[in-house]
Structure formats: structure tokens, C-alpha cells
């Protein structure tokens, strides 16, 4: 956790820098870009547009040393019990082969499961494993929610291919419309289901799994041959067996893998089924490369450490209110959705590890969408609203052999927005613009744009399995380092659990009408209205 002496220094550093201009820093120091650029695992982080200088960077690096980020990382990857309220490790790094030597027994289980996943994937692709009617599979539906959905969904969209091995689909919401829309155009005889639920108790997933099962049976897949169409990924083999999925069709995950960190486990099976085993293996390799970078690099050369320090600096010291993730790649359209769970479920906390209240803000509110779509919507607020924000612009340099002209336009927008966040438009320029338009100078403030918004640009050669793996791993480690700096547990989610408990009580009330008196007056009236409408 951050030492109080470091906290005091960072407060005064922020005070010193607040009136400064990042554009001026860039003008005055021709080495600034190279000094504030970090490379690792196929990614480049340009942090030169952050409100930071050498002295503040030194203070941040000292606070990282004070909080022993390097030691915390060793503890994470070697199986330390980092999740203290659930009394478990968080070993997502082991899933991609990091620090195997430290945990040979668990590493053996991971390897055996990967082997089974590979065999199942290849049997489906080769036609050795076919559907009940003897036809090869053409489509796979992943049924899951939260970490059992967002990671695989994001990665499958990122690696989307004109000729995938199987077309990938996702059902998550308990709203039946989700399943109905996805299954509408699919042939049940050639569709495989992967039911992903670490606990196999999640209401949404079990409801959807039941409905998907009925969809298969109603279209002629017999109960007896249902097993050919359904895989499960879970820690709860007995619940999966009760659902009718035998051990052969079940892939294990373990309680030492957090849901939002589980895309590297069999939860990612849909990625392998969609795009082939070598793609999944490269995805794991990309993440492992980022793990190695994180273990080896000094703090100011360490991408996830710097990302965490900058997030702390922006939210806690420069008082930014939200953090945007703006990928200039349609392939990354689900990146912000994925990062919302990773960041806010992990670090949206209010007490330290020893239960003391945290008085400063913790996780930033994270949002964003693929450029350029947001530019025609909420970017107005970013440029001229009065909220403080920080951002990551994600910029792949190439886009395969698709239309180069369109790709150039996309990139120019990403770079233009980054520059606009930096320079804005000054009062003088605004006066000149008003005059050009023949408007009185009193209207000039309408054209003023403050700029000076701290942001980084994350660059990669292209969106491919390795870079996507490295990108997710970088954000995972940033999230963990931030939790270490803030002194909180990044691996539980008791706020979410409260919603599940109350949800069960209210479901019983909606079914029976009993228990209305136990609810507050507002919820009781709403529940009564629902019962009335559905009677
Ligand atoms: O949203 C809460 C949560 O517990 C997440 O942490 C988890 O990823 C999700 O529910 C799904 O849980 P499961 O995989 O057990 O169905």
C-alpha cells in the first residue's frame, strides 16, 4: 500500500503540475516522447501526453517501490493468498504457463486441461466429433455471464475472421430475447453449446442453458444424443452432472481462477472452437510475454506498473472523474465492456485489506467505445464539458490487407482526437475563429476548448492473437498493481453478491406474492405492479 509519506509527496507534486501544459512539455523537451514510451510484449505505451514530468515520475516510482509492487507481483504469480475474503490465490498467470516451476501440481492440471481442450477442438474441426444427425458443427454458442462471457466475447470479436472454423455466438442476459435472437437463424443440428459457469449456480446462465437445451431437443436432438452438443466449463462437476452433462464433456476451472481473469482457462474454449487451437495457443503466448515483461522490467520501463501508477496519479491526485478506453479498431468494440468488469468489479472497493475505510476514490469509472463512433456522440462532453477525464487511446498500426484508405481515415481520427485532447483551442484562436465567421467576439468562448487532458496511446502492429493476449494481460496487471497501491482486495465482489441474494428473495415474491411486507414501500409497490401486469 502507498506509504503516507509518498502520498504527501504526490499531493504536492500534483499541486505543482496542475497549472502546467503538457503541450508545452512536449515543445520544450525533444526527448520527452522517447523518455515516456515503454515497449513490451508487442505493445508500445506512449505516456508522453500524461500530465507528468521527471520529478513527478520519480515520486511515482518511489511510491511503487514503497508499496513493493515487484514483491506483490511475485506473490501473485507464485500462488500467494491474495484474495483474503475468499481465502484463495488468483493464479490466472499460471493458465498461460507463467511461474509453472513454483506450482508444479497445479501446472500439471492446467496442462492436462489444455490437452483435453485441444483434443475436443480438433475433433470438432476434423469432423470426428459430429452432431446428433451426423452433420459437422458450423456454429458454437457460449452461454455465460460476467467473466464467463465478456472475455471470450471480446476476444472472438477481436479475432473475427472471414472464414472461422465455427461461427461464434454469445448468450448472456436472462432476458429471453437474447437467446431468441441468437438462435433464430441457427440450425440446432449443427450448433454446439458451451455452458460456462465457474459456480454452475448463476441464475442467468442456468436459465439460458435450460432454454438452449429445450431448443435443441424441440428440434429433434434426442435427450440421449444431447451430450454430443453440449460442453460445460465449471468447478462444480456435480451440478453440471445434475444438468445432464457428463464428466467427459466437462472442462474444469479452479477456485484459484477469478471469473473476470478466466479467459485463459477452458472459459476461453469458444475462442479455440471458433478460430483454431493455434490461435488460442498464440493468445496465451501473448499474455505470457506480458507476464515476463512485467516480471523483468524496472518500474518506469514496466508497462502495467506505469499504467497503474498513471491511473492512481490521474484519479487520486489530478482528480480525473472518469477513465475512457477508446480503441480505434472495430475489432476491439467490446474492449471497454470487458475492462469495466475487470477494473470496476476488481477495484470498486471501499476498505483496505485490514478493513479500514478508504477515504480517497478507488477505481475510476471506466467507459468508452470504438472510435470513431463515440466522436459523433459523447466526445463533445470530453472536449468542452467541464468534467476531468483520462483516457487510453488504442491504436493498431495496420489492419491486414483491408481497404487502406478507410484504415488511414480511422487512424487519422485516432491521432486527431489525441492531439485535440492535448492542444484544445486557445482563447486567441477562438477569437480569430469568431471573427472569421463574422460573429461578435463575445461569442468566442463558445469555440474555446481547454485541452490538456491526460491520456496515453497504446500502439500495436495489428490486432492478432498475441497482441490481444498481451493487451488483456497488461490491463489485468495494471488492475492488480492499482489494488496493491490502494491496499485493497482486487479479487472478491461482495457488492455483486448482495444483488444476487436480494434477487432470489424478490424472485420468490414475484412468484408467490408473499413477502411484499418485508420489502421497502417502493420495491413492494413495483413488485405488486409487476404481479398485476403478469397475472
Ligand atoms: O458478476 C458476478 C460474478 O460473480 C462474476 O465475478 C463472474 O464472472 C460472474 O458472476 C459469473 O459467474 P459464474 O461463472 O460462476 O457463472
Amino acid at each position: 500500500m502507498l506509504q503516507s509519506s509518498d502520498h504527501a509527496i504526490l499531493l504536492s507534486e500534483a499541486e505543482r503540475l496542475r497549472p502546467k501544459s503538457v503541450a508545452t512539455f512536449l515543445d520544450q523537451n525533444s526527448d520527452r516522447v522517447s523518455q515516456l514510451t515503454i515497449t513490451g510484449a508487442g505493445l508500445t505505451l506512449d505516456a508522453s501526453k500524461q500530465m507528468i514530468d521527471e520529478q513527478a515520475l520519480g515520486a511515482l516510482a518511489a511510491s511503487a517501490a514503497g508499496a513493493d509492487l515487484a514483491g506483490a507481483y511475485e506473490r501473485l504469480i507464485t500462488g500467494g493468498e491474495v484474495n483474503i475474503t475468499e481465502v484463495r490465490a488468483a493464479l490466472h498467470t499460471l493458465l498461460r504457463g507463467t511461474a509453472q516451476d513454483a506450482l508444479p501440481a497445479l501446472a500439471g492440471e492446467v496442462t492436462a486441461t489444455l490437452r483435453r481442450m485441444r483434443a475436443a477442438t480438433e475433433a470438432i474441426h476434423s469432423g470426428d466429433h459430429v452432431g446428433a444427425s451426423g452433420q459437422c458443427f458450423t456454429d458454437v454458442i457460449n452461454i455465460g455471464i460476467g467473466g464467463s462471457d465478456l472475455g471470450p466475447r471480446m476476444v472472438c470479436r477481436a479475432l473475427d475472421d472471414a472464414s472461422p472454423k465455427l461461427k461464434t455466438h454469445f448468450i448472456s442476459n436472462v432476458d429471453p430475447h437474447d437467446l431468441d435472437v441468437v438462435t433464430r437463424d441457427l440450425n440446432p443440428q449443427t450448433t454446439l453449446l458451451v455452458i460456462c459457469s465457474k459456480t454452475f449456480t448463476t441464475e442467468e446462465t442456468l436459465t439460458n442453458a435450460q432454454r438452449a437445451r429445450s431448443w435443441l431437443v424441440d428440434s429433434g436432438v434426442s435427450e440421449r444424443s444431447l451430450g454430443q452438443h453440449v460442453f460445460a466449463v465449471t468447478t462444480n462437476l456435480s451440478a453440471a452432472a445434475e444438468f445432464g452433462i457428463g464428466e467427459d464433456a466437462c472442462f474444469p476451472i479452479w477456485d484459484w481462477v477469478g471469473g473476470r481473469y478466466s479467459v485463459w482457462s477452458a472459459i476461453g474454449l469458444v475462442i479455440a472452437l471458433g478460430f483454431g487451437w493455434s490461435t488460442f495457443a498464440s493468445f496465451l503466448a501473448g499474455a505470457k510475454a506480458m507476464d515476463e515483461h512485467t516480471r523483468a522490467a524496472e518500474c518506469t520501463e514496466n508497462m502495467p506498473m506505469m499504467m497503474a501508477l498513471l491511473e492512481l496519479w490521474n484519479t487520486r491526485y489530478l482528480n480525473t472523474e472518469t477513465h475512457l478506453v477508446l480503441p480505434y479498431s472495430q475489432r476491439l468494440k467490446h474492449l471497454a465492456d470487458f475492462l469495466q468488469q475487470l477494473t470496476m468489479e476488481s477495484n470498486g472497493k471501499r476498505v483496505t485489506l485490514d478493513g479500514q475505510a478508504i477515504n480517497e476514490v478507488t477505481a475510476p469509472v471506466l467507459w468508452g467505445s470504438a472510435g470513431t463512433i463515440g466522436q459523433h456522440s459523447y466526445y463533445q462532453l470530453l472536449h468542452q464539458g467541464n468534467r476531468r477525464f483520462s483516457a487510453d487511446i488504442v491504436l493498431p498500426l495496420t489492419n491486414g490487407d483491408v481497404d487502406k484508405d478507410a484504415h488511414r481515415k480511422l487512424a487519422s481520427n485516432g491521432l486527431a482526437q489525441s492531439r485535440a485532447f492535448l492542444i484544445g483551442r486557445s482563447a486567441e484562436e477562438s477569437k480569430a475563429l469568431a471573427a472569421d465567421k463574422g460573429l461578435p467576439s463575445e461569442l468566442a468562448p463558445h469555440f474555446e476548448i481547454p485541452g490538456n487532458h491526460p491520456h496515453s496511446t497504446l500502439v500495436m502492429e495489428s490486432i492478432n492473437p498475441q497482441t490481444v493476449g498481451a493487451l488483456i494481460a497488461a490491463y489485468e496487471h495494471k488492475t492488480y498493481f492499482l489494488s496493491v497501491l490502494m491496499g485493497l482486495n482486487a479479487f472478491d465482489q461482495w457488492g455483486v453478491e448482495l444483488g444476487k441474494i436480494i434477487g432470489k428473495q424478490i424472485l420468490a415474491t414475484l412468484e408467490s406474492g408473499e413477502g411484499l411486507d418485508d420489502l421497502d414501500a417502493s420495491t413492494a409497490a413495483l413488485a405488486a405492479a409487476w404481479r398485476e401486469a403478469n397475472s
Side-chain angles (χ1 to χ4, degrees):
M1 186 170 170
L2 208 65
Q3 312 285 307
S4 54
S5 52
D6 289 326
H7 176 62
I9 293 170
L10 289 173
L11 279 174
S12 81
E13 282 301 304
E15 214 42 58
R16 179 179 65 80
L17 283 181
R18 202 162 285 132
K20 307 271 185 196
S21 146
V22 178
T24 309
F25 288 160
L26 277 158
D27 284 346
Q28 289 174 345
N29 177 3
S30 57
D31 293 333
R32 180 175 172 88
V33 175
S34 62
Q35 284 166 354
L36 288 171
T37 294
I38 299 173
T39 54
L43 305 184
T44 299
L45 179 83
D46 173 356
S48 65
K49 293 191 186 101
Q50 293 283 352
M51 175 56 83
I52 195 102
D53 66 1
E54 212 179 324
Q55 191 176 312
L57 188 62
L60 283 172
S63 60
D68 191 18
L69 291 191
Y73 186 67
E74 282 307 302
R75 207 165 116 67
L76 177 83
I77 64 173
T78 55
E81 198 182 278
V82 288
N83 182 354
I84 54 165
T85 64
E86 294 178 304
V87 200
R88 43 175 87 141
L91 275 169
H92 38 285
T93 44
L94 186 67
L95 300 170
R96 50 231 193 193
T98 292
Q100 282 176 318
D101 298 351
L103 301 151
L106 299 187
E109 288 185 49
V110 170
T111 308
T113 303
L114 287 172
R115 223 175 268 138
R116 282 190 58 217
M117 286 168 65
R118 179 177 186 165
T121 301
E122 290 178 347
I124 283 174
H125 293 161
S126 67
D128 282 350
H129 177 159
V130 291
S133 62
Q135 296 178 72
C136 288
F137 289 105
T138 56
D139 294 83
V140 52
I141 307 178
N142 189 83
I143 300 178
I145 197 162
S148 299
D149 167 76
L150 291 166
R153 187 192 288 262
M154 190 289 256
V155 174
C156 286
R157 183 66 187 84
L159 304 182
D160 190 25
D161 190 321
S163 48
K165 305 264 187 201
L166 299 184
K167 285 191 219 111
T168 55
H169 310 270
F170 294 85
I171 297 172
S172 186
N173 200 338
V174 73
D175 184 335
H177 191 61
D178 198 5
L179 181 141
D180 293 345
V181 168
V182 168
T183 53
R184 196 182 284 160
D185 299 322
L186 296 182
N187 176 0
Q189 298 294 346
T190 58
T191 300
L192 186 69
L193 308 179
V194 183
I195 302 168
C196 284
S197 179
K198 181 176 164 184
T199 55
F200 226 82
T201 58
T202 303
E203 185 178 72
E204 293 93 328
T205 300
L206 296 189
T207 305
N208 280 325
Q210 204 61 57
R211 289 191 76 229
R213 188 181 201 277
S214 306
W215 172 71
L216 290 177
V217 172
D218 292 349
S219 67
V221 176
S222 68
E223 292 276 353
R224 209 163 31 86
S225 40
L226 208 54
Q228 284 167 251
H229 283 254
V230 187
F231 286 139
V233 182
T234 187
T235 54
N236 191 347
L237 295 185
S238 58
E242 254 173 62
F243 186 85
I245 307 171
E247 261 188 50
D248 284 356
C250 269
F251 294 91
I253 52 170
W254 304 274
D255 66 0
W256 42 263
V257 180
R260 50 195 175 272
Y261 298 85
S262 65
V263 64
W264 324 100
S265 71
I267 295 288
L269 183 61
V270 65
I271 303 168
L273 289 166
F275 306 104
W277 187 256
S278 65
T279 296
F280 190 67
S282 301
F283 171 64
L284 298 184
K288 187 174 184 208
M290 182 52 75
D291 293 345
E292 281 160 6
H293 162 84
T294 307
R295 201 173 194 182
E298 289 301 324
C299 175
T300 54
E301 295 298 322
N302 190 309
M303 195 176 298
M305 279 188 198
M306 276 304 292
M307 287 167 75
L309 288 165
L310 288 167
E311 190 156 307
L312 183 81
W313 173 244
N314 285 324
T315 46
R316 210 168 255 193
Y317 298 98
L318 297 181
N319 306 121
T320 50
E321 293 161 81
T322 74
H323 181 74
L324 284 114
V325 177
L326 305 169
Y328 277 75
S329 166
Q330 192 64 13
R331 289 182 174 277
L332 297 180
K333 80 181 275 231
H334 295 310
L335 179 63
D337 298 337
F338 168 76
L339 292 177
Q340 282 188 328
Q341 187 197 16
L342 180 65
T343 303
M344 299 200 279
E345 197 167 86
S346 295
N347 288 339
K349 307 286 165 64
R350 57 192 303 114
V351 295
T352 58
L353 289 172
D354 53 10
Q356 302 303 310
I358 300 177
N359 297 319
E360 296 89 7
V361 287
T362 53
V365 174
L366 186 148
W367 55 301
S369 58
T372 64
I373 295 164
Q375 288 175 209
H376 299 271
S377 159
Y378 55 81
Y379 277 49
Q380 167 58 32
L381 176 147
L382 301 181
H383 289 303
Q384 286 197 301
N386 51 13
R387 294 196 179 255
R388 280 186 286 265
F389 67 90
S390 58
D392 292 340
I393 292 181
V394 183
L395 190 72
L397 295 177
T398 64
N399 198 8
D401 54 1
V402 298
D403 184 337
K404 284 264 187 308
D405 179 51
H407 178 59
R408 190 180 303 111
K409 287 173 182 155
L410 177 66
S412 69
N413 273 280
L415 295 173
Q417 292 301 323
S418 170
R419 181 160 165 75
F421 289 159
L422 175 76
I423 61 171
R425 185 188 288 127
S426 68
E428 256 169 46
E429 288 168 319
S430 300
K431 276 194 196 117
L433 186 60
D436 267 3
K437 290 179 181 293
L439 294 169
S441 63
E442 300 83 74
L443 290 182
H446 290 270
F447 303 114
E448 274 179 45
I449 297 173
N452 215 24
H453 298 292
H455 65 281
S456 297
T457 312
L458 257 166
V459 182
M460 63 281 296
E461 189 58 31
S462 65
I463 299 300
N464 61 49
Q466 285 95 335
T467 54
V468 173
L471 184 68
I472 299 179
Y475 276 108
E476 283 179 348
H477 296 329
K478 177 210 77 170
T479 302
Y480 174 60
F481 287 137
L482 193 62
S483 78
V484 174
L485 289 162
M486 297 186 302
L488 55 80
N489 180 2
F491 300 107
D492 60 7
Q493 59 284 319
W494 295 105
V496 178
E497 304 306 332
L498 172 67
K500 291 184 191 170
I501 295 166
I502 299 179
K504 278 206 174 62
Q505 292 163 355
I506 293 192
L507 181 62
T509 299
L510 293 182
E511 271 167 6
S512 66
E514 283 163 27
L516 283 169
D517 292 346
D518 300 335
L519 301 174
D520 62 90
S522 166
T523 311
L526 293 165
W530 187 91
R531 276 185 53 81
E532 172 74 23
N534 288 279
S535 60

